[in-house]
Amino acid sequence: MTTTVATSDGADGPRLGPGDAPGRAEAFGPAGTPSPRLDDAPSASAMRRALRRARDGATLDAVEAAVLLAARGDDLADLCASAGRVRDAGLASLGRSGVVTYSPKVFIPLTRLCRDRCHYCTFATVPHRLDAPFLSMDEVLDIARAGAAAGCAEALFTLGDRPEERWPAAREWLDAHGYDSTLGYLRAAAIAVLEETGLLPHLNPGVLSWTELARLKPVAPSMGMMLETTATRLWSEPGGPHFGSPDKEPAVRLRVLTDAGRLSIPFTTGLLLGIGETRAERAETIFELRGLSRRYGSIQEVIVQNFRAKDDTAMRSEPDVGAEELAAAVAVTRLVLGPMARVQAPPNLIDAAECDLLLSAGIDDWGGVSPVTPDHVNPERPWPDLDVLRAVSADAGFTLRPRLTVYPPYQEEPWLDPRVAGHVRALAGPDGLLAEGARPAGRPWQEPDGGLGNSGRTDLNTAVDTVGRHSEARADFDTVYGDWAALRAEVSAAGTGVDGVVGTGRRAVGAPPRLDADLRSALSHAGVDPAGISDAEALTLFGARDAALDELCLLADGLRRDVVGDDVTYIVNRNINFTNVCYTGCRFCAFAQRRGDADAFTLSLAEVGTRAAEAWSVGATEVCVQGGIHPDLPGAAYFDLAREIKRAAPGLHLHAYSPMEVLNGVTRTGMSIEDWLTAAREAGVDSIPGTAAEILDDEVRWVLTKGKLPTASWVEVITAAHRVGLRSTATMMYGHVDTPAHWVAHLRLLRRLQDSTGGFTEFVALPFVHHSSPIYLAGVARPGPTVQENRAVHAMARILLHRSIDNIQCSWVKLGADGCQQVLAGGVNDIGGTLMEETISRMAGSQHGSRRSVAELEEVAASAGRPARQRTTSYGRVPDERFHAARGGPVRTVLPVVS
């Protein structure tokens, strides 16, 4: 594949008449803007030193890389020799020495409309130049069928970014054909290609959000988007090649690459040479790609693409990037990315005689080559004949072999969604390349067959207390969480890590030492206007110790008494975790397992129903249902679980599905968030847990988790839930790589949400349990919060959420009875539930058991000198029958309603 779509509208972007072609400095910003051709040449000694380090296999830095990008002639030959050795070592380690690959594909230009205005693009155009804003589904399938008949394996979907946001014609076409967006149509087209032809879709739709990436992952083995350059000035300055193109901001594109990594999406990206960047900027782009690859391992190939001037564009008079300049960039990319990277250069953008130079420079792939369709992005450059490419490769000592759009290391979980795994297996040979003689054929795109059935340690809910874990950590500990070394570096910018050093991030400042006068002033203000204290005052109070901490807790407890009285409330409930198989990669979670791990389990629908009925039989009023993000879980499974629980125990309140699970259901079903939540409510869900919040600050979240939803998505799900009538809890997990400043921001955000929706029933403070947590075992996080922090967090939650979220809950699972007694004296009014099974915290090493009886919970309240009161999920009065059943009385069986 050559590139993601270049974007322009062909109309009101920069157009120059004859004789108006600008010089490079005029075209790319203010006079004097440098370009690769105008960079100062490195000194001969700098070049010799950099070449020697490359020969020695030393790790290059960005300065040395920039020097080597200027290599030409004999210096280039020296550079290429070093790069070639690195490439050859990588191929040998894969067991395919001397093999260079390509992807036989068809190019499907789903739409050539785009909201961006890139100054070098002829792919994007205006509506009146097209027969229709989009290819019809029949046209898409005709192209795909022709490709399948010609032996292709890949369907490359290329399209402009969000054309409906600029062109009314695009919006009207989508509405007329029943699609909510271009991405909705792309998803449908990809499914149609899978089912009708068996070609494997590779999607290049441009900039996507985390949720959009997750929505598309189930319909394509791989996706792509060129980074192009990290030179922001080429986007921000008037006259730059990306000026006026919102989707070409480097920071935005880096965020897409990062989100793809977090979601374990095999991703193609690369750099575009010769659009006005300097050699230093070019080197910076390569190093950004290396960093992303190391952090997530998701970059399956890097394209090094040379600029080719096109008629009828603002850059038509700019010089093309020559073969030696391209080869130097390929060689540096190879040396920086290393032997295991797949590096590609499009063969149609150079002459056949120059292919040998690129092979010597370290490429191992020619990208996508089509025997059926042209390169719609570079239509003036036809694909080389495969016989020519095969001969060129052979002359350089390589065998040319076809591959799939998804590279061999990515043809398994968590990279490949189960719904496309069968399509990939049908075409893959033993080495993961395209099998000899394989011909694509349509296969159903459907939910995985696995579903919910008893497997693994289904007794873990009880055995965790008697036998414990079978293994300290999951089998893929070293890979599933990303690069631990990079995480340790990130912690310095995200919060307080294992070394106790406060970071330097946007809000990563701890509570500074304060004079008594500061504490006294903050306490005084909190006593008069609790929710009105400033962030600075809140930080001061979070740092209170000794007598000042006692006074803070006394103040919070007074507020508690005024708002909810003295009762210590609790609920008789049961947790049901229906699976712990999960590939999300949350680094704090010791619960998640791979399907084959010794501690992995999945429960059947019948088993979940049985546990719900058992809960009802001992007086429960609620079951809380959550599970891992199991790759085989059908999209309808969440609804099936809800219906089964309501069938088994109709009177139970079903508190189910975290925002992460909601989004998983959304992406698997293709429904909107609001429609999915409405369907869940109709299936029997009564409220949702506000877990998966951790810390609602992405600086910290992306250290804590690799693939969990970002803050904005958590807020979106919670807000939608409240809007459709599903109330939720609110939570915060603290004491890992966070600081008090993050706690303040988190609580402020929860208050704003509550003031807007009124949907939170309570706030639950969750101390980080470290013992078996991966992020602690890897030496990144600290060992949970201190006693002072536990007291301060609960007290400050009462203060900052005063008259907004009335109920503040502590977790006996994490704090134990003594810890609960301490925080009950500082603003807490609820101690959670009986739980009956609590596997998540116990797997992390919590020492406080997995269940508590009514008597034990009431004893905790009594030890705090307070009366206890059993409650419902919404803090109402418990029916007498439930009250007595929880204490061993007769149980009234609630029969299901039969219509």
Side-chain angles (χ1 to χ4, degrees):
M1 55 208 73
T2 53
T3 181
T4 190
V5 59
T7 47
S8 171
D9 64 11
D12 52 0
R15 288 287 182 189
L16 303 177
D20 292 333
R24 180 169 295 274
E26 294 166 326
F28 304 128
T33 298
S35 76
R37 314 316 194 269
L38 300 180
D39 277 341
D40 291 336
S43 67
S45 61
M47 181 64 72
R48 285 195 302 272
R49 184 167 54 251
L51 286 170
R52 183 179 66 251
R53 285 178 54 76
R55 285 194 301 274
D56 293 344
T59 300
L60 303 175
D61 62 26
V63 173
E64 292 166 330
V67 169
L68 292 173
L69 285 167
R72 302 292 184 268
D74 291 343
D75 290 340
L76 177 61
D78 190 344
L79 173 64
C80 288
S82 297
R85 284 193 296 273
V86 172
R87 183 263 323 279
D88 293 344
L91 291 177
S93 71
L94 295 173
R96 52 184 179 95
S97 296
V99 172
V100 63
T101 53
Y102 76 100
S103 176
K105 73 174 183 185
V106 289
F107 197 129
I108 302 177
L110 193 66
T111 178
R112 291 180 58 197
L113 300 180
C114 183
R115 70 174 181 175
D116 292 320
R117 301 171 172 87
C118 294
H119 298 195
Y120 47 77
C121 175
T122 56
F123 175 80
T125 186
V126 293
H128 69 263
R129 296 183 180 179
L130 299 171
D131 293 335
F134 294 84
L135 293 181
S136 69
M137 194 66 78
D138 286 342
E139 290 172 319
V140 168
L141 290 175
D142 284 346
I143 296 171
R145 289 187 182 109
C152 296
E154 172 188 349
L156 170 62
F157 282 90
T158 296
L159 53 153
D161 283 76
R162 306 181 191 276
E164 67 271 30
E165 295 189 7
R166 183 177 182 196
W167 300 108
R171 179 73 270 165
E172 292 163 6
W173 190 96
L174 292 168
D175 290 342
H177 290 79
Y179 298 103
D180 62 341
S181 65
T182 296
L183 298 180
Y185 182 44
L186 173 62
R187 189 177 194 273
I191 292 171
V193 166
L194 286 165
E195 294 197 321
E196 297 294 328
T197 73
L199 292 185
L200 304 178
H202 176 85
L203 309 183
N204 277 352
V207 168
L208 300 172
S209 68
W210 185 95
T211 303
E212 290 165 341
L213 284 163
R215 185 183 180 193
L216 291 176
K217 179 177 179 177
V219 304
S222 60
M223 297 187 220
M225 183 196 70
M226 293 285 280
L227 174 57
E228 297 189 4
T229 181
T230 56
T232 300
R233 63 184 179 81
L234 301 181
W235 167 81
S236 62
E237 296 177 2
H242 293 151
F243 186 73
S245 300
D247 301 299
K248 291 303 179 83
E249 181 182 2
V252 170
R253 299 179 85 77
L254 286 167
R255 191 265 304 157
V256 175
L257 296 177
T258 299
D259 284 348
R262 291 170 179 149
L263 288 164
S264 297
I265 295 173
F267 215 76
T268 295
T269 187
L271 57 157
L272 180 59
L273 312 178
I275 58 171
E277 78 285 1
T278 66
R279 282 193 296 270
E281 290 165 339
R282 195 174 286 178
E284 179 187 85
T285 302
I286 297 169
F287 273 80
E288 282 284 1
L289 293 175
R290 184 182 75 173
L292 286 164
S293 182
R294 288 181 173 179
R295 194 170 301 121
Y296 303 108
S298 55
I299 296 179
Q300 64 163 0
E301 62 181 336
V302 171
I303 303 170
V304 184
Q305 181 168 329
N306 49 315
F307 167 77
R308 283 282 188 174
K310 296 176 176 60
D311 294 338
D312 199 29
T313 68
M315 294 177 63
R316 65 173 183 248
S317 299
E318 294 304 314
D320 291 342
V321 170
E324 285 203 330
E325 185 176 358
L326 173 60
V330 167
V332 171
T333 300
R334 167 59 67 194
L335 290 170
V336 171
L337 296 183
M340 301 312 295
R342 309 279 67 83
V343 179
Q344 165 196 142
N348 62 316
L349 299 185
I350 57 173
D351 296 331
E354 298 167 331
C355 289
D356 180 68
L357 179 59
L358 294 187
L359 286 166
S360 73
I363 68 163
D364 53 25
D365 188 80
W366 289 115
V369 178
S370 179
V372 177
T373 54
D375 178 352
H376 289 278
V377 171
N378 301 282
E380 76 285 0
R381 303 290 302 186
W383 305 112
D385 186 88
L386 279 177
D387 288 338
V388 172
L389 199 60
R390 190 173 292 110
V392 166
S393 300
D395 289 345
F398 290 90
T399 300
L400 182 66
R401 287 191 56 193
R403 61 166 173 85
L404 305 181
T405 180
V406 59
Y407 280 78
Y410 300 90
Q411 294 173 11
E412 60 184 13
E413 294 175 339
W415 305 104
L416 208 58
D417 188 279
R419 280 162 289 191
V420 295
H423 298 80
V424 172
R425 285 194 297 269
L427 296 175
D431 59 1
L433 301 180
L434 180 62
E436 185 176 355
R439 307 292 287 187
R443 299 168 56 90
W445 180 88
Q446 59 190 20
E447 297 289 359
D449 294 331
L452 290 167
N454 279 347
S455 64
R457 284 192 81 183
T458 56
D459 64 343
L460 189 62
N461 61 306
T462 55
V464 72
D465 286 331
T466 56
V467 179
R469 301 176 61 114
H470 283 334
S471 60
E472 182 182 20
R474 56 188 285 172
D476 55 354
F477 182 91
D478 292 332
T479 58
V480 71
Y481 304 108
D483 187 333
W484 287 118
L487 278 173
R488 293 186 191 98
E490 277 187 54
V491 165
S492 67
T496 303
V498 67
D499 56 2
V501 176
V502 176
T504 57
R506 178 167 49 90
R507 286 202 292 270
V509 290
R514 297 288 184 175
L515 299 174
D516 288 345
D518 295 325
L519 273 169
R520 179 60 52 199
S521 175
L523 283 167
S524 177
H525 190 185
V528 175
D529 182 14
I533 62 174
S534 68
D535 287 359
E537 289 173 318
L539 284 174
T540 297
L541 294 176
F542 268 117
R545 285 167 172 77
D546 302 325
L549 178 59
D550 292 339
E551 189 168 346
L552 174 69
C553 292
L554 188 64
L555 188 157
D557 216 39
L559 295 175
R560 182 268 306 160
R561 187 177 301 107
D562 292 344
V563 173
V564 294
D566 282 334
D567 287 350
V568 174
T569 52
Y570 65 91
I571 188 168
V572 178
N573 66 350
R574 178 173 192 163
N575 283 349
I576 302 177
N577 302 126
F578 55 88
T579 184
N580 65 352
V581 176
C582 187
Y583 291 83
T584 300
C586 292
R587 300 177 179 110
F588 62 87
C589 179
F591 176 69
Q593 304 290 303
R594 298 192 310 174
R595 68 172 78 239
D597 287 347
D599 291 319
F601 74 88
T602 299
L603 304 182
S604 67
L605 282 175
E607 175 64 20
V608 171
T610 297
R611 294 189 186 191
E614 289 173 352
W616 178 263
S617 72
V618 295
T621 57
E622 171 193 286
V623 286
C624 178
V625 178
Q626 296 181 91
I629 307 302
H630 195 310
D632 286 349
L633 193 69
Y638 296 107
F639 306 144
D640 294 340
L641 281 166
R643 283 187 282 265
E644 175 62 20
I645 288 167
K646 288 297 188 177
R647 183 202 63 76
L652 280 174
H653 179 106
L654 178 53
H655 185 63
Y657 312 139
S658 72
M660 183 65 193
E661 292 172 282
V662 171
L663 271 188
N664 184 48
V666 165
T667 59
R668 289 174 185 269
T669 61
M671 302 168 72
S672 70
I673 292 174
E674 193 159 322
D675 286 347
W676 193 94
L677 287 164
T678 300
R681 188 189 64 199
E682 292 169 350
V685 173
D686 298 301
S687 61
I688 70 171
T691 49
E694 284 50 277
I695 291 291
L696 293 172
D697 185 311
D698 285 345
E699 281 183 330
V700 173
R701 290 183 75 76
W702 299 136
V703 174
L704 289 176
T705 177
K706 175 188 169 189
K708 190 170 279 189
L709 75 174
T711 297
S713 296
W714 188 93
V715 170
E716 184 180 13
V717 171
I718 288 293
T719 303
H722 294 176
R723 191 164 53 245
V724 304
L726 292 172
R727 302 191 72 186
S728 75
T729 55
T731 65
M732 181 177 80
M733 186 183 74
Y734 64 96
H736 32 75
V737 296
D738 49 347
T739 71
H742 297 109
W743 307 339
V744 173
H746 184 105
L747 292 168
R748 297 284 198 206
L749 175 55
L750 293 181
R751 185 181 183 97
R752 290 195 298 273
L753 289 173
Q754 180 74 340
D755 292 347
S756 172
T757 70
F760 290 127
T761 53
E762 71 239 58
F763 169 76
V764 189
L766 301 171
F768 171 58
V769 178
H770 68 283
H771 307 279
S772 297
S773 174
I775 198 169
Y776 172 74
L777 296 177
V780 178
R782 60 194 176 106
T786 64
V787 171
Q788 179 273 333
E789 288 171 325
N790 285 330
R791 294 180 66 194
V793 164
H794 289 82
M796 289 300 295
R798 171 62 67 187
I799 290 169
L800 291 174
L801 300 175
H802 182 58
R803 298 295 184 188
S804 180
I805 301 177
D806 289 341
N807 298 298
I808 306 298
Q809 181 186 126
C810 64
S811 170
W812 62 259
V813 174
K814 301 174 189 296
L815 290 173
D818 292 343
C820 287
Q821 290 170 20
Q822 291 174 336
V823 298
L824 281 169
V828 168
N829 68 293
D830 188 84
I831 53 175
T834 54
L835 301 185
M836 302 186 195
E837 57 181 272
E838 205 301 311
T839 314
I840 296 175
S841 295
R842 292 290 286 121
M843 288 285 282
S846 171
Q847 304 299 305
H848 304 298
S850 61
R851 64 193 67 212
R852 283 288 182 270
S853 67
V854 167
E856 287 172 322
L857 292 180
E858 291 185 345
E859 183 180 343
V860 172
S863 66
R866 306 250 298 275
R869 177 175 66 84
Q870 185 180 342
R871 64 167 174 88
T872 64
T873 304
S874 57
Y875 286 76
R877 182 179 179 275
V878 176
D880 289 343
E881 182 273 337
R882 291 287 84 197
F883 181 86
H884 293 297
R887 289 154 180 80
V891 176
R892 177 177 59 86
T893 301
V894 179
L895 297 176
V897 176
V898 179
S899 58

